[in-house]
Amino acid sequence: QKEVEQNSGPLSVPEGAIASLNCTYSDRVSQSFFWYRQYSGKSPELIMSIYSNGDKEDGRFTAQLNKASQYVSLLIRDSQPSDSATYLCAVRGSGGGSNYKLTFGKGTLLTVNP
Amino acid sequence: DAGVTQSPTHLIKTRGQQVTLRCSPKSGHDTVSWYQQALGQGPQFIFQYYEEEERQRGNFPDRFSGHQFPNYSSELNVNALLLGDSALYLCASSLTGGIVNYGYTFGSGTRLTVV
């Protein structure tokens, strides 16, 4: 089982719709969770971080975390063509103060159609 | 406020050669991590430097080595290049105490092509 799994997509939604991106992880005691957006040919850009169960909202973005199900998701409301990108889920695992690395999924390609 | 800067932007090397990539972290950050991103894949952790020491290492061979300088900038060295080393190399910086909540800030990357 891969450490962090995402559907590779592509996920295609119409402009103005809600895009739902999902991620599962294998390390049950993972601590912190991040969503990065990566435009083609560019570097990843942090858009959301979450570390407690529940929802966290920032503008049009909502991150949801369920540690019992080892599941984290990202909702994008009122999707815009400029949201078209690859979305990377990243997890900081267990290991307390000695584990600093982020483990990434392969990413989900989102296309928002005008 | 300068973000993470990497150089060079693009690089073409021949198999067997050696390469050095450079990174300056975001102002105020003290930790530098290096990631390799192959086409269509997520970034893979190579190693992290803090206080001029390699603090953590991923599953990469010893051909990959690094260094951090007193000003927190860092270098990634790859020896005996293989075709499979062709990838986007990303530098990510953070403030050690902020990793849990704030993750990492990535530079624009160095595209390495090995021919």
Side-chain angles (χ1 to χ4, degrees):
Chain A
Q1 182 185 8
K2 293 183 179 178
E3 293 181 72
V4 180
E5 293 203 61
Q6 299 180 250
N7 289 328
S8 60
L11 173 66
S12 183
V13 300
E15 184 174 356
I18 296 174
S20 177
L21 304 159
N22 305 315
C23 172
T24 58
Y25 58 94
S26 60
D27 185 345
R28 181 170 294 278
V29 294
S30 293
Q31 300 180 359
S32 310
F33 308 86
F34 305 88
W35 284 98
Y36 283 83
R37 177 176 63 198
Q38 186 172 28
Y39 293 113
S40 180
K42 302 295 184 181
S43 62
E45 172 193 10
L46 180 66
I47 54 174
M48 289 290 287
S49 63
I50 186 168
Y51 53 92
S52 298
N53 277 328
D55 295 359
K56 179 181 178 182
E57 186 175 317
D58 184 1
R60 296 187 296 112
F61 299 98
T62 299
Q64 300 174 316
L65 175 61
N66 183 327
K67 290 186 177 181
S69 300
Q70 295 173 239
Y71 176 91
V72 58
S73 66
L74 179 69
L75 300 178
I76 306 175
R77 291 182 299 281
D78 187 24
S79 294
Q80 300 298 308
S82 59
D83 295 326
S84 298
T86 295
Y87 288 80
L88 297 163
C89 173
V91 175
R92 181 188 177 207
S94 58
S98 64
N99 185 10
Y100 304 94
K101 74 174 185 179
L102 295 186
T103 300
F104 285 81
K106 292 179 63 173
T108 298
L109 177 61
L110 170 67
T111 301
V112 180
N113 301 304
Chain B
D1 180 20
V4 181
T5 58
Q6 291 187 245
S7 63
T9 305
H10 296 86
L11 205 52
I12 300 175
K13 289 287 189 178
T14 304
R15 273 182 304 173
Q17 284 189 315
Q18 178 264 344
V19 68
T20 297
L21 310 181
R22 295 176 175 83
C23 171
S24 292
K26 181 177 179 179
S27 178
H29 285 182
D30 59 5
T31 301
V32 173
S33 302
W34 288 92
Y35 284 80
Q36 179 195 66
Q37 187 175 24
L39 202 60
Q41 304 294 316
Q44 297 292 312
F45 177 76
I46 302 175
F47 42 54
Q48 183 179 93
Y49 277 83
Y50 172 68
E51 293 187 339
E52 303 179 48
E53 297 285 336
E54 183 184 289
R55 178 160 70 174
Q56 189 175 3
R57 188 179 183 91
N59 295 324
F60 279 79
D62 292 345
R63 299 186 296 110
F64 290 77
S65 63
H67 190 78
Q68 186 179 35
F69 299 94
N71 67 352
Y72 307 120
S73 67
S74 177
E75 290 182 347
L76 164 65
N77 301 293
V78 187
N79 294 323
L81 284 167
L82 304 173
L83 294 179
D85 294 331
S86 296
L88 179 67
Y89 287 84
L90 295 163
C91 173
S93 76
S94 64
L95 185 60
T96 280
I99 291 172
V100 171
N101 293 343
Y102 305 115
Y104 295 98
T105 301
F106 282 90
S108 56
T110 294
R111 173 73 62 188
L112 173 64
T113 302
V114 182
V115 297

